Amino acid sequence: MKIIPRKTSFDDLYIRKGTSNSEHQDFWQEILSFDSYPEYGIRLSSSIDDYVTSNHCISNEEGEALDSYVADSWEYINKFLAENNPSCSIHHLERKKILTNVVNKMPLSEIDFYRAVRTDGRCFFEPLIYKLKEGLIDTGTIMINNTFLSFTNNPYSLRAFAGDTIQGDVENNCIVYKLAGGVKSISKISSVDEFEGIIPPDSLLEVKHARKLNIKIKSGQERNVWFIEMEKAPLSSTPHCDFYGNPV
């Protein structure tokens, strides 16, 4: 894999408030069509933030939950925290409570965090894509998550989550979320400049803007990318849908 040296932090000037749709388009075209990963996008570690271990009392169960999450968050969430089997509901709730407790001990970060998901061919995302196309997800929409959601503060790391992990091509109708502040930073996952944040289940997030971008991939074809800007919603808010677009 070719590595292109870059400075140790990225300039997000073009994705701050008040930027035009064309500026968003240009910025995310550069991010999602990047010809290789910057060095700090591939040199990952699973070091836990020293803030947690030095400032809080972590139980053995919480430590195991945190280690399991950091080691492989996707498998841990979907294998141990997904409520797929009604007979396992008690274990599900226990694990959910343990990980929520340890996340709540993490420092609250005011930096922006990002998340990308592939939706093409995944039927459970169809209600959300339909709502986005019809303009039903826009400013003021309150969304609630049913499971733990991980975010990164480094948008250059999103390409692997927005498309094919081998070719790196962006999938059609993938979604990129930007969450402004209010995220618990769970760990430093890169030796240079990348932090991971986690949103516990039942968090309320308010959409500030939803826009469709047209990202050109290597073949010259264009892909629809939905860019959703969000922030933490007031606790008194009433959710309109979950992260799959289903009404609640």
Side-chain angles (χ1 to χ4, degrees):
M1 177 182 291
K2 180 183 177 183
I3 295 177
I4 298 179
R6 297 184 70 89
K7 58 185 179 181
T8 58
S9 61
F10 54 88
D11 183 2
D12 67 348
L13 175 65
Y14 297 109
I15 47 178
R16 295 173 186 165
K17 293 180 180 179
T19 54
S20 68
N21 195 68
S22 61
E23 288 173 316
H24 279 281
Q25 173 71 44
D26 292 343
F27 183 87
W28 287 104
Q29 176 66 52
E30 177 186 350
I31 295 293
L32 297 176
S33 64
F34 199 63
D35 196 36
S36 70
Y37 293 102
E39 183 179 0
Y40 59 88
I42 63 174
R43 196 173 64 204
L44 302 180
S45 67
S46 58
S47 58
I48 297 174
D49 195 325
D50 291 338
Y51 176 94
V52 181
T53 55
S54 61
N55 292 276
H56 294 282
C57 178
I58 302 295
S59 69
N60 291 335
E61 292 81 5
E62 290 172 343
E64 291 174 0
L66 187 57
D67 287 342
S68 298
Y69 176 86
V70 172
D72 192 338
S73 60
W74 190 93
E75 181 175 355
Y76 185 70
I77 289 173
N78 289 279
K79 185 175 181 179
F80 295 107
L81 295 176
E83 197 171 9
N84 297 324
N85 190 338
S87 64
C88 298
S89 59
I90 294 178
H91 297 295
H92 163 81
L93 292 175
E94 288 177 349
R95 293 188 182 106
K96 178 179 175 180
K97 181 180 179 181
I98 290 171
L99 188 55
T100 299
N101 286 344
V102 73
V103 168
N104 286 333
K105 294 179 180 179
M106 300 293 173
L108 186 66
S109 177
E110 293 305 319
I111 63 177
D112 295 335
F113 279 82
Y114 304 87
R115 174 180 174 84
V117 293
R118 298 187 292 271
T119 67
D120 203 24
R122 295 164 172 83
C123 61
F124 42 86
F125 275 111
E126 289 178 358
L128 181 59
I129 296 301
Y130 170 80
K131 285 182 169 64
L132 285 167
K133 290 180 177 178
E134 295 298 318
L136 301 176
I137 302 290
D138 206 346
T139 305
T141 299
I142 306 296
M143 301 179 72
I144 186 170
N145 55 311
N146 297 321
T147 186
F148 295 88
L149 299 179
S150 60
F151 289 74
T152 174
N153 77 316
N154 184 349
Y156 287 99
S157 299
L158 296 180
R159 198 181 66 169
F161 301 94
D164 187 296
T165 55
I166 298 177
Q167 299 297 326
D169 285 339
V170 177
E171 284 193 4
N172 202 42
N173 285 321
C174 73
I175 298 175
V176 173
Y177 297 98
K178 174 190 175 184
L179 184 53
V183 180
K184 295 285 188 175
S185 181
I186 188 172
S187 64
K188 185 174 183 180
I189 59 174
S190 168
S191 57
V192 182
D193 194 33
E194 184 173 5
F195 287 84
E196 183 171 1
I198 184 169
I199 303 296
D202 306 318
S203 298
L204 297 173
L205 302 175
E206 181 177 357
V207 175
K208 305 307 294 181
H209 197 89
R211 68 184 84 223
K212 183 174 73 171
L213 306 175
N214 297 312
I215 302 298
K216 185 174 292 186
I217 61 175
K218 295 176 183 178
S219 66
Q221 296 178 313
E222 288 190 344
R223 296 287 188 263
N224 293 332
V225 173
W226 297 97
F227 180 51
I228 304 178
E229 299 174 81
M230 316 181 82
E231 67 181 18
K232 197 171 183 179
L235 293 177
S236 59
S237 303
T238 300
H240 299 103
C241 62
D242 63 17
F243 266 69
Y244 297 117
N246 300 308
V248 293

